[in-house]
Amino acid sequence: MQGHSSLENTPQLVGDQVMEDKAVFPLSYGQQAMWFLYQIAPQSIAYNIYTTVRISSELDVGAWHRSWLQIVERHPILRTRYAQRGDQPIQIIHESQEVDIKVIDASSWNLNDLKAQILAVADLPYNLETGPVIRVHLFKRSAIEHIQLLTLHHIAGDMWSFDILLNELQVLYATEVQVVHLDAFQSVENSDIENNSKPNPILPLPKRSYTDYVGWQTSLLASSQGDQLWAYWQKQLVGELSALDLAVDKPRPSVQTYCGATHLIQLDEKRLEALKKFSESQKTSLYRIFLTAFFTLLHRLSGQEDILVGCPVAGRSGQEAFEDIVGYFTDPVVLRANLAGNPTFKELLAQVCCIVSEAKEHQDYPFPLLVKQLAPERDTSRSSLFQVSLTWQKHRWYQNAQTTPLVMSPYIIEGHQRGAAFDIDLAIIEAGSELHLCWQYNTDLFDTASVERIAGNYLILLDSILTNPEQRIATLPLLTEVERHELLVEWNNTQVNYPLNHLDDCIHQWFEAQALKTPDSIAVMDEN
């Protein structure tokens, strides 16, 4: 936003205290983890999060720009930078922060150029010590088509935050456009419009801020409820926590890397409808079916029976006061499934449903603190506790959108090179009636072809479940048509065509014939 962006000397007080135009606060446990990872790899883009939307209407760029300035004013965390005070990380909130809001002429670009430029911006590293932590770029394709890119560092927001920001954009833009039209009408007509005809702000400021959440979290963990939460996770994660041992294409680096890429698949309408009907018949959610299938896939690929998967939760469950606040609330919970005994898919689904329900009830215990308390043996080559994750991303802003002057729809970008926080992360993206499966993977471990094969195995597995959910997981069909042909035909083709006129020859005669044919070729070698 407009205003001074120079940073004066860092304040000397920590807490809810204001000095000049700054206020200093401690970090949440999630933010502390992000700050720690940032210090290890400040140029990493593994924790850049972004969303792209298509604007399919005439756009008043001035009103759009003013709307974003208002949004930054509404949410203090968008005007926050981070620093270290002794051994304590802090967040410093400014009254004013210049934000990267740009309009780019993309009218002459083809779609490949557009994608490349969007991703180049999305993958720019953030400097958390100077800010800003948000970028807004508008790529103008024509008078009635723009692609808007909204990027945050994860320390300042999550996917729920994107829903808040895009909902507010639609409302504030409508208000800005209406004000402009009323002002123009007054100027042209020179008429006396009553004061109450001018639009009032539709969106009241949030009553709470992210720093209130930090205080709430601190109080919760210091209470008896915090002890109960810890007791639950301590029981769930007792004993040896084996790392998931998937077959990789390259030697695992001794220190975990964050180099990644994505492979995107849109679920076809027929398969999606069949899965919805199955979820209704089982009286459970699509999420739990996809998760159970994911556990099954990992079991089949690794042969392991005790499997841990990280699953981010919104972190705002039952906390209405925080539902309209932008910030880093999402937190992974560790879901541990036991696949011993070769259960049927329906039996495993029942187990997973129970695990998910209990985890949601105990989701307020922060993952970074859980790792600290469990103190697992540190393996620098892997992420702690789990190495794969499953994420469900829903574009709530699109589902809840009303008719406004700003006509927006999701704009999903195909897979590309970017950061990877885990070995494999399956993100299921729900955008309106569409469902996309986004496989994000570490390119220092997996080749593209391997991930494409795994993604294909997952689709076949989903189809197998729909065909026979009573089948035991070890026998559910998994191979794609290409793999089946390769295994049963290509690799099994041992036929050799021998010359018909030599079928009665002895072995020494075959040897002589070959020696005459290639007299200079080496026949036998000794180690000396």
Side-chain angles (χ1 to χ4, degrees):
M1 61 181 292
Q2 293 177 336
H4 65 278
S5 59
S6 60
L7 302 175
E8 290 111 14
N9 294 331
T10 306
Q12 297 301 311
L13 298 177
V14 177
D16 188 4
Q17 309 220 14
V18 178
M19 294 185 64
E20 299 178 2
D21 68 337
K22 308 183 188 75
V24 181
F25 297 89
L27 273 61
S28 68
Y29 277 95
Q31 286 182 310
Q32 289 176 36
M34 285 294 142
W35 174 251
F36 174 75
L37 292 168
Y38 170 77
Q39 289 182 306
I40 292 175
Q43 294 300 308
S44 172
I45 58 172
Y47 293 97
N48 286 18
I49 60 174
Y50 74 92
T51 189
T52 46
V53 299
R54 185 195 305 273
I55 300 176
S56 304
S57 56
E58 291 188 6
L59 185 66
D60 183 330
V61 175
W64 172 84
H65 190 272
R66 291 191 300 273
S67 299
W68 276 112
L69 294 181
Q70 289 186 57
I71 288 171
V72 173
E73 290 176 356
R74 291 172 56 80
H75 300 285
I77 200 166
L78 302 181
R79 307 189 306 275
T80 297
R81 67 179 183 90
Y82 301 84
Q84 191 78 15
R85 181 66 47 73
D87 61 350
Q88 293 296 318
I90 57 173
Q91 52 185 318
I92 307 166
I93 302 174
H94 292 255
E95 290 185 1
S96 174
Q97 169 75 60
E98 186 174 341
V99 174
D100 187 4
I101 304 176
K102 292 181 180 176
V103 179
I104 301 168
D105 184 6
S107 58
S108 61
W109 299 352
N110 60 37
L111 291 179
N112 288 334
D113 292 336
L114 176 65
K115 171 185 170 181
Q117 292 299 320
I118 288 175
L119 298 179
V121 175
D123 288 346
L124 288 173
Y126 281 94
N127 187 327
L128 299 184
E129 297 170 83
T130 62
V133 293
I134 182 175
R135 303 187 190 108
V136 188
H137 287 68
L138 187 70
F139 295 87
K140 182 178 180 180
R141 301 282 288 158
S142 69
I144 58 172
E145 183 184 11
H146 299 74
I147 305 300
Q148 176 185 265
L149 169 66
L150 174 58
T151 315
L152 284 172
H153 191 282
H154 214 343
I155 200 170
D158 49 25
M159 301 309 294
W160 187 295
S161 298
F162 283 148
D163 287 325
I164 294 171
L165 296 174
L166 294 174
N167 273 324
E168 290 188 354
L169 173 64
Q170 293 179 90
V171 175
L172 292 171
Y173 178 82
T175 303
E176 283 291 331
V177 172
Q178 191 175 0
V179 168
V180 170
H181 288 171
L182 284 173
D183 288 345
F185 179 74
Q186 281 184 302
S187 175
V188 172
E189 299 294 331
N190 195 24
S191 60
D192 185 16
I193 300 178
E194 297 179 7
N195 291 334
N196 60 9
S197 66
K198 191 170 184 177
N200 293 319
I202 299 174
L203 290 173
L205 288 173
K207 295 180 181 179
R208 308 288 288 275
S209 69
Y210 187 77
T211 55
D212 293 317
Y213 166 74
V214 177
W216 171 85
Q217 185 184 66
T218 302
S219 299
L220 171 72
L221 296 174
S223 68
S224 59
Q225 185 180 353
D227 295 336
Q228 293 171 6
L229 294 174
W230 159 239
Y232 169 80
W233 289 110
Q234 187 179 31
K235 180 180 178 181
Q236 284 294 109
L237 302 175
V238 68
E240 182 182 0
L241 303 177
S242 300
L244 186 66
D245 190 20
L246 295 175
V248 295
D249 299 305
K250 309 167 188 176
R252 183 179 290 272
S254 59
V255 177
Q256 183 186 2
T257 64
Y258 299 94
C259 302
T262 58
H263 173 59
L264 189 69
I265 299 174
Q266 181 176 344
L267 212 61
D268 64 90
E269 187 175 342
K270 183 179 179 181
R271 184 181 275 131
L272 179 55
E273 285 303 314
L275 286 165
K276 287 180 178 178
K277 289 180 181 178
F278 179 66
S279 71
E280 292 172 1
S281 70
Q282 300 303 306
K283 296 181 172 55
T284 190
S285 65
L286 272 178
Y287 168 78
R288 298 182 186 205
I289 291 171
F290 278 108
L291 177 60
T292 307
F294 194 52
F295 271 116
T296 303
L297 177 70
L298 297 174
H299 166 66
R300 295 284 295 275
L301 294 178
S302 68
Q304 295 170 249
E305 296 177 339
D306 183 21
I307 296 179
L308 293 88
V309 173
C311 294
V313 292
R316 309 167 192 246
S317 177
Q319 304 297 327
E320 293 184 6
F322 301 139
E323 288 185 351
D324 61 348
I325 297 174
V326 173
Y328 180 35
F329 290 86
T330 190
D331 202 30
V333 295
V334 186
L335 302 184
R336 187 180 193 178
N338 186 342
L339 291 86
N342 193 21
T344 67
F345 181 82
K346 288 182 71 172
E347 289 171 344
L348 181 59
L349 176 61
Q351 180 192 156
V352 170
C353 286
C354 181
I355 294 170
V356 171
S357 296
E358 289 184 358
K360 288 181 68 176
E361 293 176 5
H362 299 86
Q363 66 176 288
D364 291 325
Y365 199 83
F367 178 76
L369 182 58
L370 180 64
V371 174
K372 181 179 179 181
Q373 294 282 76
L374 291 173
E377 184 177 346
R378 182 69 178 124
D379 182 351
T380 58
S381 69
R382 307 171 190 263
S383 55
S384 296
L385 299 189
F386 62 88
Q387 292 77 51
V388 297
S389 68
L390 184 142
T391 307
W392 190 284
Q393 299 176 6
K394 185 174 182 179
H395 290 273
R396 293 176 182 85
W397 65 268
Y398 184 55
Q399 181 183 17
N400 301 330
Q402 300 177 352
T403 303
T404 70
L406 200 61
V407 180
M408 299 197 307
S409 60
Y411 185 75
I412 307 295
I413 295 181
E414 294 292 335
H416 62 286
Q417 298 288 329
R418 62 178 289 101
F422 307 106
D423 291 2
I424 291 179
D425 174 23
L426 171 56
I428 302 170
I429 305 171
E430 183 180 353
S433 61
E434 296 180 356
L435 213 61
H436 299 259
L437 307 184
C438 182
W439 294 84
Q440 188 169 333
Y441 59 97
N442 189 309
T443 52
D444 287 332
L445 299 176
F446 298 98
D447 293 333
T448 301
S450 296
V451 175
E452 290 176 352
R453 186 189 69 250
I454 292 172
N457 294 151
Y458 188 67
L459 293 179
I460 297 299
L461 186 59
L462 290 174
D463 292 339
S464 304
I465 292 162
L466 293 173
T467 301
N468 186 7
E470 300 286 357
Q471 193 167 349
R472 297 197 176 277
I473 59 175
T475 56
L476 283 167
L478 194 69
L479 299 180
T480 64
E481 286 298 322
V482 172
E483 288 175 304
R484 287 176 62 84
H485 185 271
E486 187 178 62
L487 181 64
L488 300 178
V489 179
E490 294 179 20
W491 291 358
N492 201 37
N493 183 11
T494 58
Q495 179 181 347
V496 177
N497 294 319
Y498 295 100
L500 293 177
N501 59 331
H502 290 285
L503 288 180
D504 295 328
D505 289 352
C506 297
I507 186 66
H508 69 279
Q509 292 171 310
W510 282 85
F511 186 90
E512 290 172 355
Q514 184 64 34
L516 290 172
K517 184 178 179 181
T518 56
D520 296 326
S521 295
I522 297 174
V524 179
M525 289 186 67
D526 178 75
E527 62 180 359
N528 297 318

